[in-house]
Amino acid sequence: MRLAPLCLALLFALAFCPRELPAARSAAPAQAGRPVASSGQHAGQLVTQEALQGFWLGSEGGRDVVCHFSAFFITVSSASRYDHGIFMVKDGALLVRPDLGKERRLPVAMEGGEIVLANLRLRRLLRTEEASSVLPADAASQVRSFAARDHALHFCNVEPSPEEKKLVQDYLDADAKRRCLYIVERQVLDSVCVYDPAGWCRDHGIRQGIGARQP
């Protein structure tokens, strides 16, 4: 059973981690030497809420950072984080969590077809509707399996083992399109309402504090 849209918005807003987006290298090697303007002083075209919709790709420490803008929600997924929350664009800034009155203001502008968000430079990757159709069937199935597993562990407050976490992240980082599908699958799973969390975790074979399926 799905949550009402208003409940979803509140849950996503409360769950969003209020950290700055990570500083990153240029998403495109050809742009690596281009300086990024200081906070609040980006040159370039102002962006709108509509212009951001879809997937954008940057990099951090040589690994993918994928940002997904869908309506009024932003999702940031990388090797070290998965955050989802409400955003809006106003006066050349991206406001995160404006519904709570505690928004974070990140300067945002478009330069040469790229989005510059704070210190993160992003290039267009995919539209949302493309995420499920660009991967071979076996790869898509594997991504969905990882997304379901990660969602279950997160829901049951269990930390995956370092080996499992590295396996998943290495697989997702091998192709940014995999991470796009992962984001879509996590969003679908996170929208499902569970009335018996303890029973749900037992049904999925997750033991609290271990992060492994029961034999």
Side-chain angles (χ1 to χ4, degrees):
M1 182 178 296
R2 301 299 176 92
L3 289 172
L6 179 59
C7 295
L8 272 177
L10 291 175
L11 284 176
F12 287 150
L14 291 172
F16 184 65
C17 180
R19 292 176 290 177
E20 294 286 356
L21 288 172
R25 303 174 185 174
S26 170
Q31 305 293 337
R34 290 178 56 186
V36 176
S38 60
S39 177
Q41 298 180 358
H42 290 313
Q45 176 184 354
L46 293 180
V47 298
T48 64
Q49 196 100 1
E50 294 75 18
L52 287 175
Q53 300 303 299
F55 286 96
W56 296 80
L57 173 66
S59 66
E60 176 189 16
R63 307 191 77 166
D64 289 341
V65 177
V66 175
C67 292
H68 179 221
F69 297 89
S70 177
F72 294 92
F73 295 100
I74 177 176
T75 303
V76 180
S77 178
S78 69
S80 59
R81 62 186 297 197
Y82 177 85
D83 294 327
H84 190 108
I86 296 175
F87 84 101
M88 66 179 294
V89 176
K90 183 178 180 181
D91 299 329
L94 186 144
L95 309 182
V96 181
R97 299 177 65 179
D99 57 309
L100 299 182
K102 300 177 181 179
E103 74 268 9
R104 302 183 71 84
R105 298 180 61 91
L106 304 175
V108 61
M110 182 172 289
E111 298 180 0
E114 293 182 335
I115 292 296
V116 181
L117 179 59
N119 294 316
L120 186 64
R121 188 177 291 274
L122 304 162
R123 61 181 174 84
R124 171 75 72 182
L125 184 57
L126 292 171
R127 293 288 180 179
T128 303
E129 58 272 14
E130 298 175 304
S132 297
S133 62
V134 296
L135 292 174
D138 57 343
S141 176
Q142 184 64 72
V143 170
R144 291 189 176 97
S145 176
F146 282 145
R149 168 70 170 165
D150 292 348
H151 166 74
L153 290 177
H154 182 266
F155 182 85
C156 299
N157 296 315
V158 174
E159 186 70 20
S161 67
E163 295 79 12
E164 179 177 354
K165 189 172 183 179
K166 185 177 187 304
L167 173 67
V168 173
Q169 295 303 335
D170 286 348
Y171 187 81
L172 297 179
D173 280 343
D175 186 343
K177 298 181 184 67
R178 296 176 182 176
R179 190 172 290 281
C180 292
L181 180 57
Y182 171 85
I183 289 174
V184 170
E185 290 297 311
R186 282 294 304 269
Q187 289 174 348
V188 170
L189 292 166
D190 290 345
S191 70
V192 176
C193 183
V194 176
Y195 294 101
D196 180 15
W200 189 92
C201 292
R202 286 195 302 270
D203 290 344
H204 284 74
I206 298 178
R207 295 181 290 182
Q208 290 287 335
I210 296 178
R213 294 188 183 277
Q214 294 181 3

